[in-house]
Amino acid sequence: MSAAPDDPVYRNPVLDADWSDPDVIRVGDDFYLTASSFGRVPGLPLLHSRDLVNWTLVGHALERLEPEGEFTTPRHDCGVWAPALRRHDGRFWIFWGDPDQGIFQVNAREIRGPWTRPHLVKAGKGLIDPCPLWDDETGEAYLVHAWAKSRSGVKNRLTGHRMHPHGTELLDEGKVIVDGDRIPGWFTLEGPKLYKHDGWFWILAPAGGVETGWQGAFRSRAFFGPYEEKVVLEQRDTDVNGPHQGGWVRTPSGEDWFLHFQQRGAYGRVVHLQPMRWDGGGGWPVIGDDGAPVAGHRRPDLPPQPPAAPATDDDFPGGRPGRQWQWTANPRDGWATHHSADGLRLTCVRTADAHDLRALPNVLTQRLPGAPCTVEVDLRLDDGEPGARAGLAVLGDAYSWIGLERGQDGAVRLVHRFAETAADHERDAAPPRPAPGGRARLRVDIGAGARCRFSYGTGDGEVAGDPGDFEDTGATGDGAGEGFRPSGQVFAATPWRWVGALLGLVALAPTGQGHAGTATFTQFRIRIQEKRADR
């Protein structure tokens, strides 16, 4: 969460949403971070900070997932896994593993691009979590990666390679340099980050699983080992479960810091900042409060910065979504229409999967905030044919959405539907209701435990009207504010296998002939509640 510049203490998490598997570097006075984006597009988010506490989203390094044909439909848990961000030879480099394809890299002279198209460094199943190292002392280049047992039958080990200094290919077949099966009590060793420090090769790598694991450090005088290990961060008696997998960074004044994630169910993997130092006695890194994660700490010794956080609100100027939005698969022309005014104009895409939002590539998503919040958006359903619909969704392994649908009689109604985890068709969460003028203001109040209460307002006037323009129904309680009426039962958001729940905007229609209509979304807003009831 963002911190005021005059507050000497920051509080974790510093990124309170699903910025999974973070890696971080410093270039001059600037810090840059990337994270897993799995099957969403654009991928490889790029965040910037000057103080390691306040972060903004400045772009993405991956315009489309490749091979493009593999990502024409959603593959929510596939795609970009655990990227590594590095700076070498005047360029930014990002390496990542696609568990079904192999190890890829992209690079660029400037963080905002243009970035190269993905280059396949090594093909193979189950090759994940790669991290390169260019050794400035010797001119050699190396790469380490982990394994996904679901694809390769192998896990709990790290494989090292010599790499061409150009970063385009590996120069050998690789050697297991750390075998977790040979370390008593260690399992699911993965996510390695490779460094050279004080004459040692260092691998910072987590083990033990995302919800219950720990952060390990490995060191060797030679890249190919042998390595010795030590646990350097674990939960202990804190409420930060499974603190691990991230990156080490050093400030200009010589302070060391470690950014890692914490798995928080439907909220995904939120990012914590830990102080770090090197033990003068044994030379090992000491992270957090002597190996336990801190809830807050003295801020890094860096110039004060104004509060900042990745954008969430959007007026969609010119019909273009902001950087915070991602499609659930490679987008196609015609899903969104650019125009001269504000508002997101989505085509009601005809699909045979209209009964299941999880199967649709044309859902525009952003991360679910990790704190209690209220989400609102205005929606107008334009022209169109019977069955055309659009709305606001909370999307995961189970989902629920509220929005508008045109009936067989041509009238537009407010609908609210949901689908359970094992269900392949959605059901009504509430009876359809009239929607005068084919418009509504949609709202989701998200409370402790990612429990979601849907509500709506309807009224006359323009879709971009103030919430006060809508009918005041006198409704009270969770999910109902002035001008809003609750809809359906409380819905508990659920994550995907590796991905937190998502907020989504969608427009669709059943299969048929011709144009099915459009939907216009305006004034998308997220208001974070100050009291964090579930922390």
Side-chain angles (χ1 to χ4, degrees), residues 281-296:
W284 290 90
V286 179
I287 300 177
D289 181 8
D290 197 25
V294 300

Side-chain angles (χ1 to χ4, degrees), residues 55-393:
W55 293 88
T56 57
L57 178 64
V58 297
H60 291 81
L62 188 62
E63 290 188 5
R64 300 179 71 83
L65 287 161
E66 295 191 7
E68 290 202 21
E70 298 290 329
F71 294 95
T72 57
T73 57
R75 301 178 66 201
H76 297 287
D77 304 332
C78 302
V80 177
W81 284 22
L85 173 63
R86 292 294 181 264
R87 177 78 171 174
H88 169 70
D89 195 27
R91 300 187 73 85
F92 292 92
W93 301 77
I94 301 179
F95 285 69
W96 75 93
D98 179 320
D100 300 301
Q101 306 293 332
I103 295 170
F104 288 89
Q105 63 97 332
V106 292
N107 60 87
R109 290 205 172 274
E110 304 294 336
I111 194 69
R112 291 171 174 80
W115 289 79
T116 60
R117 287 190 62 175
H119 173 77
L120 185 61
V121 178
K122 180 177 175 61
K125 295 281 189 179
L127 307 178
I128 60 170
D129 309 350
C131 184
L133 172 70
W134 287 269
D135 189 338
D136 293 333
E137 296 177 3
T138 65
E140 297 287 329
Y142 305 96
L143 183 135
V144 64
H145 69 82
W147 294 86
K149 186 176 181 179
S150 59
R151 273 70 165 189
S152 65
V154 176
K155 73 168 187 174
N156 205 31
R157 65 191 62 175
L158 306 179
T159 296
H161 296 264
R162 281 193 168 86
M163 183 177 72
H164 194 291
H166 290 166
T168 55
E169 60 182 318
L170 304 180
L171 302 179
D172 55 36
E173 292 302 311
K175 174 186 176 182
V176 175
I177 58 177
V178 179
D179 187 346
D181 290 343
R182 295 179 178 270
I183 308 173
W186 284 60
F187 60 95
T188 317
L189 177 63
E190 58 187 355
K193 295 295 181 285
L194 181 60
Y195 306 92
K196 188 81 176 286
H197 172 67
D198 198 25
W200 295 87
F201 287 91
W202 289 91
I203 300 174
L204 300 182
V210 296
E211 294 185 350
T212 58
W214 58 88
Q215 178 66 39
F218 301 82
R219 69 179 184 184
S220 174
R221 291 294 185 183
F223 171 70
F224 286 103
Y227 283 85
E228 52 185 326
E229 81 284 341
K230 185 177 182 179
V231 175
V232 293
L233 185 69
E234 55 189 334
Q235 180 173 355
R236 299 195 186 167
D237 60 355
T238 74
D239 65 352
V240 182
N241 60 295
H244 67 252
Q245 189 155 332
W248 162 45
V249 69
R250 175 167 286 178
T251 68
S253 65
E255 288 185 346
D256 295 305
W257 297 85
F258 184 73
L259 284 142
H260 68 90
F261 76 72
Q262 174 198 11
Q263 173 68 36
R264 292 192 56 227
Y267 300 116
R269 300 174 182 182
V270 303
V271 178
H272 291 238
L273 175 66
Q274 302 294 336
M276 176 174 155
R277 60 182 173 84
W278 294 89
D279 180 7
W284 290 90
V286 179
I287 300 177
D289 181 8
D290 197 25
V294 300
H297 192 270
R298 172 190 58 80
R299 295 166 61 101
D301 180 21
L302 292 164
Q305 301 295 319
T312 56
D313 294 355
D314 206 348
D315 289 320
F316 309 105
R320 293 172 172 82
R323 295 189 182 101
Q324 65 268 35
W325 297 97
Q326 297 170 291
W327 298 100
T328 49
N330 282 330
R332 302 171 198 167
D333 292 340
W335 285 357
T337 302
H338 297 167
H339 53 88
S340 59
D342 288 353
L344 177 68
R345 190 176 298 161
L346 294 182
T347 299
C348 294
V349 177
R350 291 192 180 277
T351 174
D353 294 314
H355 56 276
D356 190 347
L357 300 190
R358 294 164 297 197
L360 300 184
N362 58 304
V363 183
L364 194 61
T365 68
Q366 66 166 282
R367 292 162 179 82
L368 186 75
C373 65
T374 297
V375 182
E376 293 182 10
V377 68
D378 289 332
L379 170 63
R380 184 182 69 234
L381 191 61
D382 302 315
D383 50 56
E385 296 186 359
R389 68 200 75 161
L392 168 66

